[in-house]
Amino acid sequence: MVERKIIHIDMDAFFASVEQRDNPELRGKPVAVGYSEERGVVAAASYEARRYGVRSAMSSLKAKNLCPHLIFVPGRMSAYKAVSRQIHEIFHQYTDLIEPLSLDEAFLDVTGNKKGISLAVDIAVAIKKSIREELNLVASAGVSYNKFLAKIASDYRKPDGLCTIHPQQALDFISHLSIESFWGVGPVTAKKMHTLGIHNGEQLRLCTVEMLTRQFGKAGLMYYDFSRGIDLRPVEAVRIRKSVGCERTLEKDISLRSSVIIELYHVAVELVERLKQADFTGNTLTLKIKFHDFNQITRSSTQTNELKTLNEILPLAKQLLKEVEYSNHPIRLIGLSVSNPKELVDEKEEWEQLSFEFSDWSD
């Protein structure tokens, strides 16, 4: 079997870096893309801002408390998309096997690349150089024999990082990896791992597949494989759009039912418009609620009919809302998404990840 050569490219502080590039007055200063109002959220932060602890998805109020001289700039999604297309043009000089994860992140399979370059790290170096010279932006790159390790490697030496994990190094590298660094391990799963005595890759590798699947379901098998450096997922040049969603951060926390219903209506109207624009239908509706303390829950319902009109979506959304207790737990954010499409798109359709401005909705 031919050993795969996978590169993961991750643009460093992408939105903020584009703003600093296009506005010289912002260079070297702490910049946050987003809105500074009381209910605002940081969409991206420059590395100068990150030194103060400012992070994406943080409330603007907290960000300003951490960094009083933080400069907020409104986002320009059209500009970021245009730059992302330029980055992909550079990728295509080497391979057409490109799997975008977002506007600023992608996997490349360069096993059989267009230029016949034998070492993947040489391609990564060339791509980083082209991005810097042609676009005046900085990227980090990870190189390995599968997607899991390539992504881990790209995060290892940011910013402007380059890290290669060779097959003979993989197990030792994974052994010292914190469990929070594993793909698919969020705060809730990490906490559960810790209660089981699992804090790093070495401890995870000692677990049996039976134990992990019992504790984590299907994801347990993925953790079992990752701890052994196994990830057989291919780089998929075409991605199927799996959902369309939108959400609204409210100006004030609300708990009055009539107010919640009004906001739910507005989100449903926006969702219907986005479904129309995306020419997308699915039969699963998911309601997302984020409370005043930033805890969040989701509730879903799958129907036999496709969901595409307000008359189909709003009553179902109201039904899902009945499953949420918020009378003594004010709501900060409401989101809706439609997923589970009945028909797959044509395999030749070009895929572009849905990136709604300053939305932290996850598919």
Side-chain angles (χ1 to χ4, degrees):
M1 181 181 293
V2 177
E3 183 180 290
R4 293 190 299 163
K5 300 174 184 177
I6 309 299
I7 299 174
H8 179 259
I9 299 289
D10 193 2
M11 301 299 298
D12 295 333
F14 182 52
F15 292 178
S17 294
V18 171
E19 296 301 333
Q20 289 178 314
R21 182 196 69 175
D22 294 349
N23 184 352
E25 294 182 359
L26 298 177
R27 294 173 189 170
K29 298 178 181 178
V31 174
V33 177
Y35 299 101
S36 61
E37 289 81 0
E38 181 182 354
R39 307 293 291 184
V41 175
V42 174
S46 69
Y47 277 95
E48 293 85 356
R50 295 183 190 188
R51 295 191 187 107
Y52 291 87
V54 178
R55 295 289 185 270
S56 61
M58 177 181 288
S59 71
S60 298
L61 183 61
K62 182 177 180 180
K64 286 190 288 186
N65 287 336
L66 290 171
C67 181
H69 54 295
L70 184 64
I71 302 171
F72 278 87
V73 295
R76 300 178 296 141
M77 193 56 65
S78 60
Y80 309 145
K81 287 182 177 180
V83 176
S84 181
R85 285 191 288 270
Q86 292 176 312
I87 294 168
H88 278 250
E89 288 174 4
I90 293 173
F91 295 164
H92 278 287
Q93 295 175 18
Y94 299 91
T95 180
D96 292 326
L97 287 176
I98 303 166
E99 180 179 339
L101 301 180
S102 63
L103 291 177
D104 62 341
E105 186 179 4
F107 285 111
L108 288 69
D109 188 329
V110 296
T111 309
N113 60 86
K114 295 179 179 180
K115 298 192 177 185
I117 298 174
S118 59
L119 296 179
V121 67
D122 290 341
I123 297 176
V125 169
I127 288 173
K128 281 169 53 66
K129 182 180 178 183
S130 293
I131 289 173
R132 184 185 291 274
E133 293 180 351
E134 298 175 27
L135 305 178
N136 197 22
L137 293 170
V138 177
S140 289
V143 181
S144 196
Y145 61 92
N146 63 37
K147 291 164 70 172
F148 164 63
L149 288 169
K151 188 172 192 321
I152 293 294
S154 69
D155 290 333
Y156 197 59
R157 293 174 179 153
K158 292 175 72 71
D160 197 17
L162 176 62
C163 176
T164 300
I165 302 176
H166 297 283
Q168 60 269 30
Q169 301 170 329
L171 291 183
D172 184 60
F173 186 94
I174 294 168
S175 292
H176 296 89
L177 202 62
S178 70
I179 204 64
E180 289 83 358
S181 300
F182 277 73
W183 204 336
V185 176
V188 175
T189 301
K191 185 176 180 180
K192 185 174 181 180
M193 291 272 195
H194 291 166
T195 63
L196 295 169
I198 306 169
H199 299 272
N200 56 44
E202 183 176 13
Q203 293 168 334
L204 181 62
R205 195 180 304 144
L206 294 174
C207 299
T208 65
V209 67
E210 291 79 14
M211 177 274 213
L212 290 173
T213 53
R214 183 172 63 252
Q215 294 289 340
F216 302 102
K218 292 181 180 179
L221 178 58
M222 178 180 71
Y223 302 145
Y224 180 86
D225 283 345
F226 284 176
S227 71
R228 289 159 175 76
I230 300 169
D231 181 7
L232 301 180
R233 295 171 303 163
V235 172
E236 298 177 312
V238 176
R239 289 282 297 274
I240 304 300
R241 180 173 285 166
K242 295 180 179 179
S243 71
V244 170
C246 60
E247 59 187 33
R248 172 176 293 203
T249 299
L250 310 177
E251 293 184 3
K252 294 182 179 180
D253 300 333
I254 58 175
S255 57
L256 188 66
R257 185 177 185 278
S258 59
S259 300
V260 175
I261 292 296
I262 290 172
E263 295 297 341
L264 185 67
Y265 169 81
H266 289 307
V267 176
V269 168
E270 183 178 355
L271 176 60
V272 170
E273 181 60 30
R274 289 185 173 183
L275 288 168
K276 187 183 302 181
Q277 291 176 358
D279 192 23
F280 181 94
T281 57
N283 62 355
T284 297
L285 181 71
T286 299
L287 169 70
K288 173 182 175 181
I289 298 291
K290 183 180 290 185
F291 298 106
H292 67 103
D293 57 4
F294 285 85
N295 286 323
Q296 66 182 45
I297 62 171
T298 58
R299 296 290 184 268
S300 299
S301 178
T302 299
Q303 306 294 299
T304 56
N305 59 297
E306 292 184 331
L307 302 170
K308 53 187 175 181
T309 69
L310 188 63
N311 289 337
E312 293 164 333
I313 290 172
L314 185 58
L316 185 56
K318 290 180 179 178
Q319 191 65 37
L320 291 172
L321 184 64
K322 290 180 180 179
E323 301 176 21
V324 181
E325 172 53 48
Y326 56 86
S327 58
N328 295 314
H329 205 185
I331 293 173
R332 173 186 175 87
L333 175 149
I334 299 175
L336 288 171
S337 74
V338 169
S339 60
N340 196 19
K342 285 188 174 182
E343 296 181 2
L344 298 179
V345 297
D346 183 87
E347 65 177 2
K348 294 182 181 179
E349 181 181 15
E350 181 179 354
W351 175 84
E352 180 180 352
Q353 175 163 319
L354 290 177
S355 298
F356 299 127
E357 193 163 0
F358 310 127
S359 168
D360 61 357
W361 185 276
S362 300
D363 287 356

